[in-house]
Amino acid sequence: MNLTFGVMIAILGGVIAAVMGGVGSAISVGTVGQAAAGVVSEDPSKFGKVLILQILPGTQGLYGFLVAFLLLVQIGVMNGEVLTLSLAQGFMYFAACLPMAVGGLISAIYQGKAAVAGVGIVAKKPEESGKAIIFAAMVETYAVLALLISILSIFSITSIISA
Amino acid sequence: MNNQQYTYAVARIRANETKLLTKADYDSLINASGKQAVASILIDKGWDIDLKNISSSLENEAEKVWDLFTRSVPDINLIDALIIPNDFYNLKAAIKATFSDLDPSKYYISPCTVNPSLLTEAVSHNNFKELPDFIKVTAEKAYDNYAETSGGQDSEIIIDKASLETALCFAEKSKSELLKAIMSLKCVQANIKTALRCIFCGKSKAFTMDAFCICPGIDNERLYESAKDKESLSLYLSETPYSYLKDAVKGGFTQFENFCDDYIIGLTDSSKWLIDGPDPVISYYYIKMNEIKNARVIFSAKENGLTPENIREKVRGVYV
């Protein structure tokens, strides 16, 4: 096992990506859940429509987990063959995780707000629920972009280190 | 106040807003053939109307709104300002009924924060220790005044003034700008009406000044002096935060009251798209109270055979 300080920094990056994405999603799914419960308590037939809106901001937590998992695979933590990473290499992995960590947290919170507003649309005009979902889904773009840049960075860094 | 705590309440209110009366509903109500037809339309919108006891049915509608709030708002005490005036109304009823040997329970209104039986008990035994602090002193003062003067006018002034000041104080505690704006308007509206009425009836300046409530942004001395002439009053109001009232005071009393009611409904428009915070809750309360008031007007108009045109003039702002 080559548990260098660089490896520790890299793992810390993965942890931050998973935690911040998860925290953002937990806050937002909880908030949308409150709004959804309010609507369902008045009209239980709207459960299906508000459930979709509640699920939407949960993806950032999943993306954070994915980034952390890929990082652990790439540095060999998952198969027990941990790479020997210098401090600079560790920080490169750490930096690669930051887009998902920060982008995930912020996009989850704002997607939650858009989804709560969407719940209001479903409450008043259930026939417009598609539009409510689109408004909330638009925020997802930035979470996906953050996920892509984090994944591409992790793979690129691994290629650089292996070369 | 944490706005996020209101997410659940606001969502419930949005769901309930689908049951609010629309312009088309009001048209149907106004053009309805009679009380029975009005009741049918309201029942279709989810109201519980008993034609044998319309007043009580409408009061139940107000209670239903407050019940919704108590089950969904995180801290109901923060929006108590909405129903504090009902407590003072009940106090007035308790004092008057007790001195007239009548049963006050018939005159109580709800929702209210003070249990009416507590008020009955306190007034009938002239012991106000059990009443909440915000009403205790006023109750003692109004009771003593009624006993000394054997007349209700001064006692009523004491209660009305305290009602407005307490509601404003509660609104300030709520940290809701909307509630503060509404309560401030109610205070200035009451002071303007008092000034105009007292001057018209030839009441002394001391009496009028005593009847004024404390109103933010208004110098009551200047208000009294300017109220002797509507142009001066309009000019004075244009210098205050209530400049939007400057044209409304030039007309008659009814026109002024209608303007204030419509202005409050206009203020609630800003909460239409909010997703959290107390303002949508406060707006919903005023909109429902406005609906109940309109329903009462329509029932009364139908009973007295008023034409749809006459009813339309009396029906106030529509939210949806």
Side-chain angles (χ1 to χ4, degrees), chain B residues 24-42:
Chain B
D25 293 325
Y26 273 115
D27 284 339
S28 306
L29 289 168
I30 290 166
N31 294 314
S33 55
K35 281 164 66 178
Q36 179 73 55
V38 170
S40 301
I41 295 166
L42 291 175

Side-chain angles (χ1 to χ4, degrees), chain A residues 31 34-35 38 41-42 117 123-124, chain B residues 8 11-12 14 16-18 275:
Chain A
T31 308
Q34 286 180 41
S41 66
E42 296 294 335
K124 291 182 89 167
Chain B
Y8 173 76
R12 284 194 76 166
R14 294 289 176 240
N16 273 285
E17 278 178 2
T18 56
I275 58 171

Side-chain angles (χ1 to χ4, degrees), chain B residues 227-241:
Chain B
K228 289 171 183 167
D229 162 45
K230 283 188 176 174
E231 279 300 325
S232 319
L233 179 60
S234 171
L235 196 65
Y236 170 61
L237 287 172
S238 65
E239 297 167 15
T240 69

Side-chain angles (χ1 to χ4, degrees), chain A:
Chain A
M1 290 267 267
N2 302 306
L3 292 177
T4 60
F5 199 60
V7 172
M8 205 180 89
I9 295 291
I11 291 173
L12 185 66
V15 168
I16 287 176
V19 167
M20 286 174 75
V23 166
S25 285
I27 291 170
S28 297
V29 172
T31 308
V32 184
Q34 286 180 41
V39 172
V40 172
S41 66
E42 296 294 335
D43 184 356
S45 69
K46 288 177 180 148
F47 173 74
K49 284 173 178 164
V50 292
L51 183 66
I52 297 168
L53 286 162
Q54 192 190 6
I55 291 165
L56 279 175
T59 51
Q60 284 83 348
L62 198 68
Y63 297 162
F65 164 79
L66 184 64
V67 165
F69 182 76
L70 276 175
L71 178 92
L72 295 178
V73 169
Q74 292 295 309
I75 64 172
V77 173
M78 297 303 280
N79 58 12
E81 293 171 10
V82 183
L83 298 178
T84 305
L85 297 177
S86 67
L87 194 60
Q89 288 166 340
F91 271 114
M92 282 167 75
Y93 278 117
F94 182 85
C97 295
L98 285 183
M100 191 61 248
V102 178
L105 177 71
I106 294 173
S107 68
I109 290 170
Y110 282 92
Q111 193 171 36
K113 286 176 191 272
V116 169
V119 171
I121 296 178
V122 173
K124 291 182 89 167
K125 295 185 176 183
E127 69 279 7
E128 304 291 353
S129 63
K131 288 172 186 163
I133 293 166
I134 290 168
F135 290 139
M138 292 301 287
V139 190
E140 190 73 15
T141 313
Y142 305 98
V144 171
L145 291 177
L147 171 70
L148 283 176
I149 205 69
S150 284
I151 290 176
L152 289 172
S153 301
I154 289 169
F155 282 126
S156 303
I157 293 162
T158 309
S159 305
I160 293 165
I161 290 168
S162 310

Side-chain angles (χ1 to χ4, degrees), chain B residues 7 27-28 30 32 82 108 117 126 195 212 249 252 256 279 300 302:
Chain B
T7 310
D27 284 339
S28 306
I30 290 166
L82 297 171
Y108 289 142
S117 60
N126 189 15
F212 282 152
V249 290
F256 176 62
D279 288 0
S300 166
K302 292 292 171 194

Side-chain angles (χ1 to χ4, degrees), chain B residues 80-92 109 113 134-139 141-142 155-172 182-184 186-187 190-191 210-214 286:
Chain B
D80 271 349
L82 297 171
I83 57 164
I84 287 292
N86 292 355
D87 291 319
F88 285 91
Y89 176 92
N90 289 346
L91 172 65
K92 213 187 285 183
I109 55 170
T113 66
F134 74 84
I135 203 168
K136 193 188 291 178
V137 177
T138 308
K141 208 170 151 187
S155 178
E156 269 194 44
I157 289 171
I158 291 167
I159 296 172
D160 289 341
K161 187 178 164 180
S163 168
L164 289 161
E165 287 176 353
T166 311
L168 182 61
C169 181
F170 273 65
E172 276 164 3
I182 291 173
M183 289 306 167
S184 301
K186 283 185 178 283
C187 287
N191 280 5
D210 207 35
F212 282 152
C213 64
I214 298 164
Y286 278 102

Side-chain angles (χ1 to χ4, degrees), chain B residues 251-263:
Chain B
F253 254 64
T254 316
Q255 192 190 337
F256 176 62
E257 289 209 347
N258 287 355
F259 178 86
C260 291
D261 284 351
D262 290 344
Y263 191 83

